[in-house]
Each structure stands twice: as structure tokens, then as C-alpha cells.
Amino acid sequence: MGQVTDLDTFSALLTPEGQELLTALRDHDPADDLAVATRLRRSHPAPLVSAALGQARLRQRAAAKFGDDARRMYFTPNGVEQSTRATVAAHRAARLAALGVRTLADLCSGIGGDALALARAGISVLAVDRDPLACAAARANAEALGLADRIEVRCADVTEVDTAGYDAVFVDPARRSKARGGRIFDPEAYSPPLSWAIEAARTAPYAALKIAPGVPHEALPDDAETEWISDGGDVKEAVVWFGRGTRPGGRRATLLPGGATLLGAGLPDPPTRRPTTTPAGGASHRPPVGPVGRYLYEPDGAVIRAHLVADVAQQVGGRLIDPTIAYITADELTPTPYATAYEITDVLPFNVKKLRALLREREVGIAVIKKRGSAVSPEELRKKLKLGGGTRSCTIFLTRAAGAPTMLLGHPAGDGQE
């Protein structure tokens, strides 16, 4: 079934007839599209039925980001893909509200996901986007969620909008290419470019720029703090913060839904490849490297993206298992929200035959396989292990230790296994 691609069809969804269709399709199973469409077209215009079915599917997809609100909201395909997850938007809105922001210009606002969170935090929002369909969806979303009095939607080129007089600016540049149909990794290929967004941010008392979490650190401005955010263990985005209450040049990792946040102390991060020389003045501050101890810590992805592995190693009194690998090890368990701890039972040179025999001997039938710094994929190893009907489980790490391909066997710390 087709998606809404024009304002007239979208507007029809807001009419009583369109609302009736959307209500009827609230719990619709997409597998029944053809039969349902045939039935509904007997009493409703075919384009409206097609649009309503498309909107029902988008709402179901959007539930992962917006929860129950998705059942009342309006989406475009790009809007579902590019919108901020509601939990992340709420975190950012709360931080802005805590800074004293009461008015904000949301540039590249899309279907209004961030504007909704900001409005719920008590901030009056000017939401600007150049896509008329996205703007129509943003207005409808503000109305549907009872926030229209706090959100003004304006269809315009964000580069031509005067943001003077607003407490803050939020910019969410487009990071997908319509021509190539994929993500854009060069910040200067964003729409608008990151350099424009940075200059726009510097004109406001406070500002936040949403960017891809894989942004090169060298592309980040020195006069701003950058925060990497994960939700449920998945890294969702990075935010560049300007204004009072932020630390210029700072790197922060925030873990949702718990909200733990770690602002780095400026410790050097483990290099991405084996160093040939020791940086002058940096050796004493790098995390030490040593043999695998009783516990292994797997840092959260936001910690790794923010280059804060050394900070977590210092926090737990740990060391790296290899100069280039973001695994921390320690002989004692120190709980931390910034890494998942595993108790290690075996440290072995990489050898699939010996691993398969060991797992069979221990009656292991369930294995969680992780990798970092190994050329072997978990899927490839799983096929070779040919795990049988054993009832025990273990976690296998494919990695490097002291430069050598290594297999670590263990289980989550505190799970009671022997």
C-alpha cells in the first residue's frame, strides 16, 4: 500500500472520514492489507484507504520510538527513520529546561518528535522545516497530543530563519541521502552542513546539535561539550552542547533509561591501532595493560564512542587486556553503570577445535558470542561449534590479549554459575 506523499491526501486523514479509518485500523495486522483494503474501498475513496493503511503501518513502526503516543501521532517514512527516540528527546529536553531555557528554535524539526518533548518540558518551541508534509505532520502531532499552544510550526529554509530572541537553538541536520538512500557520514554533507549548524549554535545563549554518534572527534568544536547517548545499551546519537553549564572540549557518555552520566576527565583513550611510539607526557595517564584477571568489563557503546574507556578503567581500578582493545579487566569486582561485568573462567589461545571440545565436555548448549578485535564473526564461530543439547550456558569473547588472538570464556558477574 502507498504512503502519503502530498498535502491533500494527508489533510484527508484529518477529516472525520480519515479519523474513522485510522481508528478502525489501530490494531490492524499488515498481513491482512489486501483483504482489508478491498473491504474498505467499498465505502471509502481508494486513495484515502491506501493513505490510512500506510499511516497505520508507520504508527506500528514508530511505537518502538514513541510508545503509546505513536497510536495518535502522524508520520512520514523519513519521519519514522530520522525522529529521535522519545526517551532520548525527553532527556535532552530536561537538560535544556534545567539550564533555564524557556523558548527554543527547533531547526530541521521534521515531524516534531523533539518539539513534543521540549513542549512537555515547559519550553515554547518554534519548529522549522522546509518539507511541507513534515510540517503538516508536526502540526497534527502537536494537536493530537495537546501541545499546540506551545509549538509554532513554520515551513521555511532553516538557514533563513532569525533565531534572535530565543533562549536556545536546537539543530537536527538531515543525515540521510535521498539520492543514495543511505546514511551520510561526512558532517559537511549533512543538510545543512555541520559547520553551518555550529555557527548558528554560537549565536544563541544555549544550543544543542544532534549528530551521528560515529562523528570523527576532530570534527567537533573545541568550544562545546559533546554527549554520546545510549538507550538500553544501543548508542542512539551524539549531541554537541554550547552555553553555560557545559564544559568546552568535554566528552560525556549518558546511559538511558537509568540516566547515569560520565563526564570525562581528559584521560587519553586507548589508540585504535597498536602505537609505535609513546606520546610524550601521556604514558602515565593511559590505562595500564596487563593479563586477563577474574573479571572482564565490556564498556557501554556510549563510553566507547565518547573515548572514555580510560575513565571507566580508572573508576573500577582495572587495566586493558590489550593496548588497542576496549575491554577492561580487574581482579576484583567493582560495580559500575558504565560497563557490563563478566566473571572469566578460561583464557585460551584461539582454537576452534579445542573450544568445541571444551564446550561439549561442559555440556554447554547455549553460547553468547561477542567479538572485539577479532577477524572471526560470531555467526561463523557458532556454525563451527555445532552446539548440541547441553543445558549450560556461557559467554565467549573473541578478542586479542597482549596482541594475540584469544578466547575468553565466562558468564555475567553475579549470575550464580560455577
Side-chain angles (χ1 to χ4, degrees), residues 58-270:
L58 291 176
R59 285 177 167 182
Q60 290 174 355
R61 286 172 53 195
K65 287 187 175 182
F66 293 94
D68 288 342
D69 282 344
R71 295 165 69 91
R72 296 180 289 161
M73 291 174 64
Y74 298 86
F75 300 96
T76 65
N78 284 340
V80 172
E81 293 293 334
Q82 299 182 26
S83 291
T84 304
R85 182 179 289 259
T87 49
V88 178
H91 160 73
R92 180 167 44 242
R95 184 170 176 180
L96 285 162
L99 290 170
V101 171
R102 294 296 174 264
T103 60
L104 177 144
D106 178 2
L107 308 182
C108 307
S109 56
I111 56 108
D114 279 286
L116 296 171
L118 291 161
R120 281 175 167 164
I123 298 172
S124 295
V125 183
L126 169 65
V128 184
D129 201 283
R130 66 182 179 184
D131 180 353
L133 193 57
C135 289
R139 290 190 189 95
N141 288 332
E143 288 282 354
L145 299 182
L147 297 167
D149 60 331
R150 292 182 182 171
I151 300 175
E152 175 192 346
V153 179
R154 184 182 303 174
C155 192
D157 185 330
V158 297
T159 64
E160 299 174 358
V161 174
D162 182 6
T163 59
Y166 289 89
D167 297 336
V169 169
F170 172 62
V171 189
D172 181 6
R175 295 180 300 283
R176 286 183 178 273
S177 169
K178 292 183 179 180
R180 296 191 296 270
R183 287 187 176 89
I184 296 172
F185 297 99
D186 177 7
E188 285 307 295
Y190 291 175
S191 180
L194 180 59
S195 57
W196 178 90
I198 289 172
E199 290 309 310
R202 287 172 174 155
T203 66
Y206 298 97
L209 312 180
K210 175 181 170 181
I211 56 177
V215 64
H217 279 227
E218 57 269 21
L220 300 172
D222 293 334
D223 57 337
E225 174 188 306
T226 306
E227 175 185 33
W228 281 261
I229 303 172
S230 68
D231 189 13
D234 295 327
V235 184
K236 294 301 179 184
E237 63 181 56
V239 186
V240 181
W241 292 91
F242 293 82
R244 295 188 302 275
T246 62
R247 193 180 78 187
R251 304 290 184 263
R252 180 186 297 272
T254 298
L255 282 53
L256 302 177
T261 187
L262 176 65
L263 181 60
L267 302 179
D269 198 59

Side-chain angles (χ1 to χ4, degrees), residues 284-296:
S284 63
H285 298 290
R286 290 196 182 280
V289 179
V292 178
R294 181 175 178 181
Y295 296 99
L296 185 80

Side-chain angles (χ1 to χ4, degrees), residues 291-297 316-319 328-334:
V292 178
R294 181 175 178 181
Y295 296 99
L296 185 80
Y297 295 86
V316 302
R319 56 190 178 271
I328 302 166
T329 189
D331 302 311
E332 296 183 2
L333 180 62
T334 303

